[in-house]
Amino acid sequence: MLKTLLLATLLLPAFAQAQSFDFDSVNGVVIGQSIEQLKQHYPQAKTAENQINTECYYVEIPEIEGVQWMVIDGIVARADIPTSYKSPTLPVVSAFITGQLTPEQAASRYANIELDDHEYQQGYRVSFINANGDRAVVADYVNSIVENVRIGLIPAAMFIEGCA
């Protein structure tokens, strides 16, 4: 029993840092859940520093490094993730994020995609929309690389300036 407990304690951080996503979750954290539900599973979740807007703010979970969770009106609406994350369930999206596909190549392989000119820089905003049209994986493609990735409910996933 003690060996099992020790093994589980050692493996838990590895599972927490799985670094995977789909349209519905990131590292097992469900997009669309309430902040109360998130805090039940991750009581150590904390509001990111310098947050002054109570309707839209970011939360960080220490066990899940590098991800910021956007909360809008008490709902986890979006996750901003590192470009190193992969998704076995969304292979075209993963291939694009990791630089294996250009926006045009991704568009030829994924039916529900939007390529828009980037609002501030030379490049694209690439939006992979789920089948229901209510969630997206959005990437800023600037200078031939993916700079930012966000996953979430529409329209939160589309916000280029976060809560601003």
Side-chain angles (χ1 to χ4, degrees), residues 85-140:
Y85 274 43
K86 298 185 180 42
S87 173
T89 60
L90 304 170
V92 173
V93 177
S94 289
F96 172 70
I97 290 170
T98 58
Q100 299 168 28
L101 297 174
T102 66
E104 294 81 5
Q105 290 168 328
S108 73
R109 297 180 189 183
Y110 189 87
N112 205 2
I113 188 172
E114 294 177 6
L115 299 178
D116 299 306
D117 288 335
H118 194 280
E119 288 86 345
Y120 302 116
Q121 301 179 46
Q122 190 73 5
Y124 298 102
R125 179 176 72 178
V126 182
S127 304
F128 298 87
I129 314 293
N130 72 343
N132 293 334
D134 62 347
R135 296 166 186 261
V137 175
V138 181
D140 295 324

Side-chain angles (χ1 to χ4, degrees), residues 18-33:
Q19 298 184 338
S20 65
F21 67 90
D22 58 27
F23 287 114
D24 300 314
S25 66
V26 174
N27 284 13
V29 175
V30 177
I31 304 293
Q33 70 180 317

